[in-house]
Amino acid sequence: MQTSSVSRSNATMPATNGPKRQLAFAAILNGVIENTEGYTWIIDKSLRYIVCNIHLRNLIKQFTGNESTPGSEVIDCIALLDNTQPLNWAGIYEAAFNDMPSRFTHQITIQQKPFFFDISVNPVREGDNIIALACSAQDITERKTAEEALRQSELKFRSLIENSTDIITMANIEGNIFYGSPSAKKVFGYEEADYMGRHVCSFVHPDYLPAIGELLQNLIQYPDELFTIDLKVFDKGGNERWVQGLASNMLQVPGINALVGNFRDITERKISEELIKESEYLYKNLFYKSPLPICVCNADTLQFLEVNEAAVQLYGYTRKEFMKMAAFDIMSQEEKYELQQSLPRAHHINRPPILRKHIKKNNEAIFVEVWAHAINYKGSNAWLVLANDITEKIQLQNQLVEEKIRRQQEIAKAVIDAQESERETLGRELHDNISQVLTTARLYLNCAKDMPAMQESMIKRSVDTISSAIEEIRRLSKSMIETFHKEVGLELSLNDLLENVRVAQQFSIDLEFKVQDEKQLDDKLKMTIFRIVQEQLNNTVKHAAASQVYIAIVQKDRQLQVTIADDGKGFDTGQKRKGIGITNIISRTELFNGRVKIESAPGHGCRMQVNFTI
């Protein structure tokens, strides 16, 4: 609020103790009132001005247009500024005349801004009588604003202290704590009684007592410096925790006079750092001690950035030599050109494994399976490359291809041999048996023609002989076309086959058939199993001289096992076989990716086991 300059008033006090003295006193009083800041006035019991200072006179003149002089009726000067919060002046004045002075703060609003006035009303006495009231209204807005700012600052400071996760401690020069912030309970569980008067060392892990002792010594020796320290401490439950602290010597600062420490809990960070260290240790072990060659290459230039020991051993270059090379330097010419063409178009993503031909330091060519994974290496894009030497595998694959071709050739040859054998058998049967029988029948017919007396007898013999030939042809045909019938199933077809063998042979045959659901088996596989059993039975009939034969077809989950065993004379599995029966069995088995195992020895029978995965 603006104030006007001081001017003298003509108002005088009534004379009581001599004219001159009263005039001097009135002049002094008038001078004091005129030079008083704010609004000052004195009123009599009739609530009229005895005197008022220039600031009040100017205010009244500004708002009412009237001059305020001694004897004028008292005006509510505060209401002139803001009439929305009127004061009960009548009651205030009456109480003061009854010897009850008042002093209070009153807030008003001027142009939407708050203003504060310190208002006081005090009795003026003459002897024991109250003859007037001395009143004042001082603008204390600036002081109030400053006090409020200070209060808010204190509130903020207190709030920061009380709600902060940082722990603030204050200790004397000996290191005994006399203050701890509320966060000590929030973070570590300590009540005020747990740390008041205790030495700071009583909360520190024994391994860090030398460090805290050195800190206290440095605080005393270098009072103007700020010290940082990481400590392992104990919470109230006795658990180990990590804190990071800032400590300073404020023993000479008025109002503080302490060694001040500001500590924050960094346990999680420390645990993370330990995990990172452990992770880095594991990474280094995995990288450098991996049995697979591993390297790190720049994503753009393929310059080697790191290589492990396995890469050094595989390629023959030292690590120092690798660091001067790029991935192009270990590639064959054709693959180097291919990679140079594709690299500008390659996106930095993980790539599937690829087969590459690499060149070692000694110019030996090797085949490697390569995996490339995109990584960030020291802030830059890079490739983590793993190489698996599969040179021997490739060579074995080539050998297997050659072996497979050879086996296919053997199978084809076995098929041709089987066909020729069947033709030879059929021709022999027709020539040596049926042909002779039919020749005999022809002789009987010729005799019937040349010898009429024996005609009937010869014709009868001829008919019998031709019937015998027809029966022999039927038998031969049946043996040639005997097979698996999918209409009746594998088990019944095998039973028919075994029944025919039992009739013609002098040995017993037992069949064990345990297949959960025969219908799920492929018809071609069932045909193959039938032919394998038929072929091995033929071998047994021709060569084994067995008395017992056991056949088992058993399914266990996805495995189908065919077993054919006899107690015959057996054979040496190491000797070269003359027939093609077993070769046919192996060939048929391999068509379905099966395996054949034969156990036999002279005098110990034969056991054949065929396994299929279904």
Side-chain angles (χ1 to χ4, degrees):
M1 179 179 293
Q2 299 295 323
T3 59
S4 58
S5 59
V6 176
S7 62
R8 296 181 59 82
S9 173
N10 293 322
T12 58
M13 292 289 292
T16 56
N17 293 317
K20 291 184 178 180
R21 185 174 181 179
Q22 290 297 331
L23 288 174
F25 177 75
I28 293 170
L29 179 60
N30 187 63
V32 171
I33 293 174
E34 285 295 293
N35 289 281
T36 300
E37 290 291 330
Y39 308 123
T40 304
W41 66 98
I42 300 175
I43 61 174
D44 60 20
K45 287 189 175 183
S46 60
L47 302 184
R48 293 182 180 275
Y49 288 118
I50 296 174
V51 65
C52 57
N53 71 348
I54 190 170
H55 303 302
L56 180 58
R57 295 198 303 272
N58 288 340
L59 178 68
I60 295 172
K61 179 75 178 286
Q62 177 184 351
F63 283 92
T64 67
N66 298 324
E67 294 286 348
S68 180
T69 59
S72 300
E73 188 175 349
V74 172
I75 295 176
D76 185 352
C77 59
I78 302 300
L80 294 176
L81 299 172
D82 178 15
N83 60 5
T84 60
Q85 301 289 335
L87 288 170
N88 182 16
W89 284 108
I92 295 171
Y93 289 150
E94 183 180 356
F97 276 117
N98 289 321
D99 203 13
M100 289 185 292
S102 301
R103 184 169 185 176
F104 57 91
T105 299
H106 183 62
Q107 179 180 345
I108 64 174
T109 302
I110 303 175
Q111 296 180 351
Q112 298 181 347
K113 294 182 180 179
F115 284 81
F116 298 89
F117 282 90
D118 180 19
I119 298 174
S120 64
V121 179
N122 297 293
V124 177
R125 300 177 185 276
E126 185 177 25
D128 294 332
N129 298 322
I130 298 175
I131 61 172
L133 298 177
C135 309
S136 68
Q138 299 292 327
D139 184 357
I140 58 171
T141 303
E142 291 185 4
R143 191 185 78 191
K144 274 286 186 181
T145 302
E147 288 176 352
E148 181 62 21
L150 179 60
R151 189 181 71 84
Q152 292 295 332
S153 176
E154 289 178 350
L155 285 175
K156 289 180 182 179
F157 176 74
R158 182 176 295 276
S159 178
L160 287 173
I161 294 297
E162 292 181 352
N163 296 293
S164 173
T165 56
D166 287 3
I167 301 170
I168 298 174
T169 60
M170 300 173 69
N172 59 22
I173 193 170
E174 288 82 18
N176 297 317
I177 299 172
F178 63 85
Y179 172 79
S181 62
S183 50
K185 180 178 179 180
K186 297 177 185 177
V187 179
F188 292 145
Y190 288 115
E191 301 285 350
E192 184 176 349
D194 295 327
Y195 54 78
M196 290 295 287
R198 290 178 60 181
H199 198 275
V200 292
C201 289
S202 60
F203 303 96
V204 178
H205 191 280
D207 294 346
Y208 290 84
L209 289 177
I212 197 70
E214 183 181 354
L215 173 65
L216 292 173
Q217 184 177 354
N218 287 334
L219 286 172
I220 302 302
Q221 189 172 354
Y222 306 102
D224 297 329
E225 294 188 18
L226 185 67
F227 295 91
T228 303
I229 189 171
D230 287 1
L231 293 172
K232 186 183 287 187
V233 299
F234 297 106
D235 63 16
K236 189 171 182 178
N239 303 304
E240 294 180 359
R241 305 286 286 273
W242 281 94
V243 295
Q244 185 177 73
L246 293 173
S248 59
N249 184 341
M250 304 182 75
L251 290 169
Q252 304 304 319
V253 177
I256 299 180
N257 306 112
L259 301 175
V260 179
N262 189 319
F263 297 92
R264 64 178 51 186
D265 183 10
I266 59 168
T267 304
E268 291 187 4
R269 194 187 81 189
K270 279 289 186 179
I271 292 174
S272 298
E273 289 175 355
E274 291 298 324
L275 289 175
I276 291 172
K277 288 181 181 178
E278 183 179 352
S279 176
E280 289 178 350
Y281 176 77
L282 290 174
Y283 158 75
K284 288 181 179 179
N285 275 340
L286 288 173
F287 184 86
Y288 289 106
K289 296 183 180 180
S290 170
L292 285 178
I294 307 176
C295 65
V296 178
C297 300
N298 181 278
D300 298 320
T301 63
L302 296 189
Q303 181 78 25
F304 286 113
L305 304 175
E306 287 286 351
V307 293
N308 70 347
E309 184 61 28
V312 171
Q313 294 296 325
L314 176 62
Y315 291 97
Y317 295 101
T318 65
R319 187 177 183 279
K320 187 175 181 181
E321 289 173 327
F322 263 118
M323 294 302 100
K324 298 177 181 179
M325 298 166 56
F328 299 111
D329 298 324
I330 60 173
M331 295 180 180
S332 61
Q333 284 299 123
E334 59 271 19
E335 291 187 349
K336 184 185 301 184
Y337 176 76
E338 176 190 340
L339 186 59
Q340 286 173 332
Q341 296 299 312
S342 64
L343 189 59
R345 301 189 302 273
H347 297 290
H348 194 64
I349 58 176
N350 294 341
R351 309 182 71 179
I354 54 176
L355 181 63
R356 291 294 185 194
K357 182 180 179 181
H358 286 178
I359 308 300
K360 298 167 65 172
K361 185 177 181 179
N362 61 4
N363 290 323
E364 178 186 347
I366 58 173
F367 292 96
V368 292
E369 197 171 29
V370 177
W371 289 266
H373 301 273
I375 64 170
N376 184 288
Y377 180 78
K378 297 182 178 180
S380 301
N381 290 333
W383 292 109
L384 177 67
V385 182
L386 293 84
N388 183 24
D389 183 8
I390 58 171
T391 306
E392 292 184 3
K393 180 180 176 181
I394 294 295
Q395 292 172 348
L396 288 174
Q397 286 178 345
N398 292 336
Q399 293 175 3
L400 288 173
V401 169
E402 294 175 359
E403 179 68 16
K404 188 174 182 179
I405 293 173
R406 186 182 66 79
R407 294 301 297 273
Q408 291 293 338
Q409 291 172 345
E410 287 184 358
I411 291 171
K413 182 177 181 299
V415 170
I416 294 172
D417 289 345
Q419 291 175 347
E420 292 299 324
S421 176
E422 288 179 354
R423 288 178 180 177
E424 182 180 349
T425 301
L426 179 59
R428 188 184 307 115
E429 288 288 337
L430 291 173
H431 180 271
D432 295 344
N433 193 3
I434 297 173
S435 178
Q436 297 299 325
V437 171
L438 291 176
T439 300
T440 302
R442 186 177 65 181
L443 289 175
Y444 286 146
L445 289 174
N446 287 333
C447 287
K449 178 181 177 182
D450 296 336
M451 298 168 45
M454 299 180 64
Q455 185 176 18
E456 184 177 351
S457 174
M458 290 297 106
I459 291 175
K460 184 177 181 303
R461 288 187 180 186
S462 176
V463 170
D464 291 341
T465 304
I466 291 173
S467 297
S468 177
I470 291 172
E471 195 62 34
E472 186 67 20
I473 291 172
R474 184 182 292 114
R475 183 194 63 77
L476 178 61
S477 298
K478 185 176 181 181
S479 67
M480 296 294 291
I481 64 172
E482 191 169 36
T483 185
F484 155 74
H485 299 284
K486 64 180 180 180
E487 293 81 5
V488 299
L490 178 59
E491 184 176 10
L492 290 177
S493 297
L494 287 173
N495 280 324
D496 286 345
L497 172 64
L498 298 183
E499 189 61 33
N500 292 331
V501 174
R502 289 189 186 101
V503 172
Q505 303 299 325
Q506 298 300 317
F507 54 75
S508 64
I509 306 175
D510 294 322
L511 173 64
E512 181 183 1
F513 192 90
K514 292 183 179 180
V515 178
Q516 286 86 337
D517 189 355
E518 184 186 320
K519 294 180 180 179
Q520 292 184 350
L521 298 180
D522 183 82
D523 287 340
K524 293 182 180 179
L525 175 60
K526 289 190 279 189
M527 172 66 79
T528 297
I529 294 172
F530 182 87
R531 290 300 185 195
I532 289 172
V533 174
Q534 186 182 43
E535 189 73 50
Q536 184 60 10
L537 281 176
N538 288 336
N539 291 336
T540 303
V541 170
K542 292 178 182 179
H543 308 294
S547 61
Q548 287 186 335
V549 176
Y550 170 74
I551 301 172
I553 300 174
V554 180
Q555 178 186 352
K556 293 181 180 178
D557 298 327
R558 295 186 59 201
Q559 296 297 315
L560 184 64
Q561 189 176 85
V562 179
T563 304
I564 307 169
D566 65 67
D567 61 351
K569 59 184 180 181
F571 60 92
D572 185 356
T573 58
Q575 291 184 353
K576 185 176 180 180
R577 298 185 295 272
K578 296 180 180 179
I580 62 170
I582 292 179
T583 302
N584 284 337
I585 291 173
I586 294 173
S587 300
R588 291 179 186 276
T589 302
E590 289 180 346
L591 290 175
F592 288 89
N593 296 318
R595 301 185 308 277
V596 178
K597 181 180 180 183
I598 299 175
E599 298 175 352
S600 183
H604 292 85
C606 176
R607 179 184 179 85
M608 174 182 288
Q609 195 172 76
V610 182
N611 290 290
F612 297 99
T613 300
I614 57 175

